[in-house]
Amino acid sequence: ALALGVDTLELDLQVTADDVLVVAHDAHIPAKRCLSRGGKRLSGKTPAIRQLRAKALAGYDCGSLVSPRFPRQKLVPKARIPRFEEVLTLVRRTHARGQKVGLNVETKIVPGRPKLTPTPERFAALVVKALRRHKLLRHTTLQSFDYRTLAAARRLAPKLRIVLLTSESTTDYPALARRYRPYAISPHHAWIIRRDVVALHRLGVRVIPWTANTKRAWRRLVGLGVDGIITDDPAGLIAYLRGKRSQATSTEPRRSLR
């Protein structure tokens, strides 16, 4: 993603048994994408990341199997689930080289499954502490479907920009914006319409939908005037946007693309 020139890295966080932040979407070791410490295929119910210490988690090979959802993905054998600290170190090195990339960090936490994560307060404290250590607070937005972590993080770091994630449902976006005063709201890309975008912009709130992976979806979102797009295909989206800019420049030189 960095090599492609994205302006923000979106990533999800889980927490190990010894309170180490790791970059992972799933609460459990994904059997379809990871191999056991001995290089064998996983079957049945896999361990939750919260059940494992960071050292044990590092033994899983999550780079040797092609993900069923992403058949074009390039394999990186022996790749492990990275620690958040490692990603922050990478970002700082990237900044030192002059490439200013931001972070959009999601706390993966579900209220009805408290054994899979620390408390919202502890989760938020771990994230804020790591960002402060690497001096990346001002380069980061913190997002979640569980707004308890966002509230806790804001108490610890009032200037940290928060983003409200919303799921596939009809939502009163302006009411959410007034209540939580977020930097942005991130709805599912199919559940946002122009009226919502206009209303949020009037309140000074950005709109950054997730997770759009097709030209049809990108075309619709650009037409709505959204402020950013979360995608699993950054190369495809960048190429699409560059094509739109080239077209706009050649036909209407005074217009710019958001």
Side-chain angles (χ1 to χ4, degrees):
L2 290 172
L4 291 170
V6 300
D7 53 19
T8 305
L9 297 175
E10 192 272 348
L11 52 93
D12 306 317
L13 295 181
Q14 302 283 352
V15 187
T16 65
D18 46 347
D19 275 1
V20 175
L21 294 166
V22 294
V23 179
H25 177 277
D26 298 348
H28 291 75
I29 303 296
K32 293 182 179 180
R33 297 196 297 276
C34 298
L35 299 173
S36 72
R37 300 183 70 180
K40 297 181 180 180
R41 295 294 295 259
L42 300 172
S43 61
K45 189 174 182 179
T46 57
I49 289 176
R50 184 64 173 164
Q51 296 173 329
L52 300 170
R53 297 180 68 85
K55 186 175 180 180
L57 181 66
Y60 287 86
D61 173 2
C62 298
S64 294
L65 297 177
V66 175
S67 170
R69 291 182 58 204
F70 304 105
R72 293 185 291 124
Q73 188 176 45
K74 294 181 181 179
L75 296 181
V76 185
K78 305 298 182 181
R80 54 188 172 77
I81 294 174
R83 298 187 181 200
F84 187 42
E85 290 275 354
E86 294 174 309
V87 177
L88 296 181
T89 298
L90 174 64
V91 170
R92 288 197 66 185
R93 290 173 179 168
T94 302
H95 287 187
R97 294 195 297 268
Q99 183 180 353
K100 298 300 182 182
V101 66
L103 287 165
N104 185 25
V105 178
E106 179 181 348
T107 52
K108 281 293 183 182
I109 177 171
V110 179
R113 300 174 183 174
K115 292 184 179 181
L116 294 180
T117 60
T119 65
E121 293 76 18
R122 178 61 177 162
F123 205 149
L126 291 171
V127 175
V128 170
K129 181 179 180 181
L131 292 172
R132 278 191 171 136
R133 184 183 304 120
H134 288 266
K135 300 180 180 179
L136 289 172
L137 267 174
R138 68 187 183 92
H139 296 284
T140 302
T141 54
L142 184 67
Q143 65 177 4
S144 188
F145 289 102
D146 186 342
Y147 304 159
R148 297 176 301 167
T149 54
L150 304 181
R154 179 173 270 173
R155 288 193 292 270
L156 294 170
K159 293 184 179 181
L160 178 62
R161 297 170 297 170
I162 64 170
V163 178
L164 308 180
L165 282 166
T166 64
S167 193
E168 301 173 24
S169 60
T170 303
T171 302
D172 187 341
Y173 297 106
L176 274 180
R178 293 187 187 98
R179 179 178 178 182
Y180 291 99
R181 297 175 290 106
Y183 169 79
I185 287 180
S186 285
H188 184 278
H189 71 89
W191 285 82
I192 190 78
I193 59 178
R194 182 182 296 277
R195 178 183 63 196
D196 300 321
V197 175
V198 171
L200 288 172
H201 282 171
R202 286 174 179 168
L203 293 172
V205 177
R206 290 165 175 78
V207 182
I208 307 173
W210 61 272
T211 298
N213 293 330
T214 66
K215 289 183 179 180
R216 180 179 180 181
W218 300 334
R219 185 182 306 113
R220 192 181 84 87
L221 295 175
V222 170
L224 295 181
V226 301
D227 303 282
I229 297 174
I230 296 173
T231 184
D232 292 319
D233 185 9
L237 177 56
I238 288 172
Y240 174 79
L241 293 175
R242 284 175 177 165
K244 292 285 289 184
R245 289 191 181 101
S246 296
Q247 183 180 18
T249 300
S250 62
T251 59
E252 299 180 61
R254 293 190 180 184
R255 294 184 62 185
S256 61
L257 186 68
R258 290 182 68 92

